[in-house]
Amino acid sequence: MDGPSKEEEEDSTFTNISLTDDIDHSSRILYPRPKSFLPEMMNADMDAVDAENQVELEEKTRLINQVLELQHTLEDLSARVDAVKEENLKLKSENQVLGQYIENLMSASSVFQTTDTKSKRK
């Protein structure tokens, strides 16, 4: 035998294992490859994993969208708080001006002058 026959070369279920260290191919022995159920199991497992991953991905996407929506809401509320604080300071300042104006009017008017009853009796 010069080497593997055409029949042996075409059969992919056998593995050639050389028993000698030299290059002589006449001493090859063919052993059948064990059939692997791994790909079939992996396909079923992969489908389950893909379904789980899809559910996890959808959940993550939903949570990310919810977080983004909450961030935008927080930004809007923060801007509103800043606007209200600014308006509050403006109104406080206006109230102080109006309060001072009223005090000045009252002090200038004789109607609001305090009457000193002791000085009138003398």
Side-chain angles (χ1 to χ4, degrees), residues 41-53:
M41 292 174 59
M42 287 178 64
N43 284 339
D45 289 342
M46 290 299 288
D47 290 342
V49 169
D50 286 345
E52 285 180 25
N53 286 343

PDB file of all heavy atoms in Angstrom, residues 41-53:
ATOM      1  N   MET A  41     -26.686  19.757  21.248  1.00  0.00           N
ATOM      2  CA  MET A  41     -26.988  20.295  22.576  1.00  0.00           C
ATOM      3  C   MET A  41     -26.674  21.786  22.616  1.00  0.00           C
ATOM      4  O   MET A  41     -27.416  22.566  23.199  1.00  0.00           O
ATOM      5  CB  MET A  41     -26.189  19.547  23.644  1.00  0.00           C
ATOM      6  CG  MET A  41     -26.622  18.105  23.817  1.00  0.00           C
ATOM      7  SD  MET A  41     -25.571  17.190  24.949  1.00  0.00           S
ATOM      8  CE  MET A  41     -25.720  18.122  26.443  1.00  0.00           C
ATOM      9  N   MET A  42     -25.580  22.145  21.973  1.00  0.00           N
ATOM     10  CA  MET A  42     -25.199  23.551  21.972  1.00  0.00           C
ATOM     11  C   MET A  42     -26.229  24.392  21.235  1.00  0.00           C
ATOM     12  O   MET A  42     -26.535  25.502  21.641  1.00  0.00           O
ATOM     13  CB  MET A  42     -23.810  23.740  21.371  1.00  0.00           C
ATOM     14  CG  MET A  42     -22.703  23.268  22.289  1.00  0.00           C
ATOM     15  SD  MET A  42     -21.071  23.424  21.566  1.00  0.00           S
ATOM     16  CE  MET A  42     -20.912  25.162  21.366  1.00  0.00           C
ATOM     17  N   ASN A  43     -26.776  23.845  20.139  1.00  0.00           N
ATOM     18  CA  ASN A  43     -27.796  24.590  19.406  1.00  0.00           C
ATOM     19  C   ASN A  43     -29.022  24.830  20.271  1.00  0.00           C
ATOM     20  O   ASN A  43     -29.568  25.931  20.296  1.00  0.00           O
ATOM     21  CB  ASN A  43     -28.192  23.853  18.121  1.00  0.00           C
ATOM     22  CG  ASN A  43     -27.144  23.995  17.040  1.00  0.00           C
ATOM     23  OD1 ASN A  43     -26.336  24.917  17.066  1.00  0.00           O
ATOM     24  ND2 ASN A  43     -27.149  23.069  16.098  1.00  0.00           N
ATOM     25  N   ALA A  44     -29.466  23.805  20.991  1.00  0.00           N
ATOM     26  CA  ALA A  44     -30.626  23.967  21.875  1.00  0.00           C
ATOM     27  C   ALA A  44     -30.296  24.941  22.995  1.00  0.00           C
ATOM     28  O   ALA A  44     -31.095  25.818  23.328  1.00  0.00           O
ATOM     29  CB  ALA A  44     -31.045  22.621  22.443  1.00  0.00           C
ATOM     30  N   ASP A  45     -29.104  24.766  23.577  1.00  0.00           N
ATOM     31  CA  ASP A  45     -28.683  25.682  24.646  1.00  0.00           C
ATOM     32  C   ASP A  45     -28.516  27.103  24.121  1.00  0.00           C
ATOM     33  O   ASP A  45     -28.869  28.060  24.793  1.00  0.00           O
ATOM     34  CB  ASP A  45     -27.370  25.205  25.284  1.00  0.00           C
ATOM     35  CG  ASP A  45     -27.558  23.945  26.114  1.00  0.00           C
ATOM     36  OD1 ASP A  45     -28.719  23.647  26.480  1.00  0.00           O
ATOM     37  OD2 ASP A  45     -26.559  23.268  26.388  1.00  0.00           O
ATOM     38  N   MET A  46     -27.966  27.222  22.921  1.00  0.00           N
ATOM     39  CA  MET A  46     -27.757  28.551  22.339  1.00  0.00           C
ATOM     40  C   MET A  46     -29.077  29.243  22.095  1.00  0.00           C
ATOM     41  O   MET A  46     -29.207  30.458  22.288  1.00  0.00           O
ATOM     42  CB  MET A  46     -26.951  28.454  21.034  1.00  0.00           C
ATOM     43  CG  MET A  46     -25.503  28.066  21.245  1.00  0.00           C
ATOM     44  SD  MET A  46     -24.605  29.245  22.249  1.00  0.00           S
ATOM     45  CE  MET A  46     -24.474  30.594  21.116  1.00  0.00           C
ATOM     46  N   ASP A  47     -30.100  28.471  21.660  1.00  0.00           N
ATOM     47  CA  ASP A  47     -31.419  29.067  21.469  1.00  0.00           C
ATOM     48  C   ASP A  47     -31.960  29.586  22.786  1.00  0.00           C
ATOM     49  O   ASP A  47     -32.513  30.683  22.856  1.00  0.00           O
ATOM     50  CB  ASP A  47     -32.390  28.044  20.861  1.00  0.00           C
ATOM     51  CG  ASP A  47     -32.044  27.722  19.410  1.00  0.00           C
ATOM     52  OD1 ASP A  47     -31.302  28.510  18.779  1.00  0.00           O
ATOM     53  OD2 ASP A  47     -32.522  26.680  18.910  1.00  0.00           O
ATOM     54  N   ALA A  48     -31.791  28.800  23.851  1.00  0.00           N
ATOM     55  CA  ALA A  48     -32.254  29.228  25.173  1.00  0.00           C
ATOM     56  C   ALA A  48     -31.460  30.444  25.639  1.00  0.00           C
ATOM     57  O   ALA A  48     -32.022  31.397  26.178  1.00  0.00           O
ATOM     58  CB  ALA A  48     -32.129  28.084  26.177  1.00  0.00           C
ATOM     59  N   VAL A  49     -30.147  30.409  25.419  1.00  0.00           N
ATOM     60  CA  VAL A  49     -29.295  31.539  25.799  1.00  0.00           C
ATOM     61  C   VAL A  49     -29.663  32.775  24.985  1.00  0.00           C
ATOM     62  O   VAL A  49     -29.752  33.880  25.517  1.00  0.00           O
ATOM     63  CB  VAL A  49     -27.800  31.183  25.627  1.00  0.00           C
ATOM     64  CG1 VAL A  49     -26.921  32.407  25.743  1.00  0.00           C
ATOM     65  CG2 VAL A  49     -27.394  30.149  26.653  1.00  0.00           C
ATOM     66  N   ASP A  50     -29.906  32.583  23.682  1.00  0.00           N
ATOM     67  CA  ASP A  50     -30.301  33.710  22.839  1.00  0.00           C
ATOM     68  C   ASP A  50     -31.612  34.309  23.321  1.00  0.00           C
ATOM     69  O   ASP A  50     -31.769  35.522  23.354  1.00  0.00           O
ATOM     70  CB  ASP A  50     -30.427  33.271  21.375  1.00  0.00           C
ATOM     71  CG  ASP A  50     -29.072  33.056  20.714  1.00  0.00           C
ATOM     72  OD1 ASP A  50     -28.056  33.520  21.279  1.00  0.00           O
ATOM     73  OD2 ASP A  50     -29.026  32.417  19.637  1.00  0.00           O
ATOM     74  N   ALA A  51     -32.564  33.468  23.703  1.00  0.00           N
ATOM     75  CA  ALA A  51     -33.848  33.962  24.207  1.00  0.00           C
ATOM     76  C   ALA A  51     -33.633  34.722  25.507  1.00  0.00           C
ATOM     77  O   ALA A  51     -34.205  35.806  25.713  1.00  0.00           O
ATOM     78  CB  ALA A  51     -34.818  32.807  24.408  1.00  0.00           C
ATOM     79  N   GLU A  52     -32.799  34.162  26.395  1.00  0.00           N
ATOM     80  CA  GLU A  52     -32.497  34.852  27.663  1.00  0.00           C
ATOM     81  C   GLU A  52     -31.785  36.172  27.389  1.00  0.00           C
ATOM     82  O   GLU A  52     -32.103  37.198  27.994  1.00  0.00           O
ATOM     83  CB  GLU A  52     -31.616  33.973  28.551  1.00  0.00           C
ATOM     84  CG  GLU A  52     -32.341  32.837  29.214  1.00  0.00           C
ATOM     85  CD  GLU A  52     -31.408  31.998  30.078  1.00  0.00           C
ATOM     86  OE1 GLU A  52     -30.376  32.521  30.541  1.00  0.00           O
ATOM     87  OE2 GLU A  52     -31.721  30.813  30.278  1.00  0.00           O
ATOM     88  N   ASN A  53     -30.817  36.144  26.481  1.00  0.00           N
ATOM     89  CA  ASN A  53     -30.089  37.367  26.135  1.00  0.00           C
ATOM     90  C   ASN A  53     -31.021  38.410  25.546  1.00  0.00           C
ATOM     91  O   ASN A  53     -30.883  39.600  25.821  1.00  0.00           O
ATOM     92  CB  ASN A  53     -28.954  37.072  25.160  1.00  0.00           C
ATOM     93  CG  ASN A  53     -27.789  36.376  25.823  1.00  0.00           C
ATOM     94  OD1 ASN A  53     -27.659  36.380  27.040  1.00  0.00           O
ATOM     95  ND2 ASN A  53     -26.944  35.755  25.028  1.00  0.00           N
TER      96      ASN A  53
END
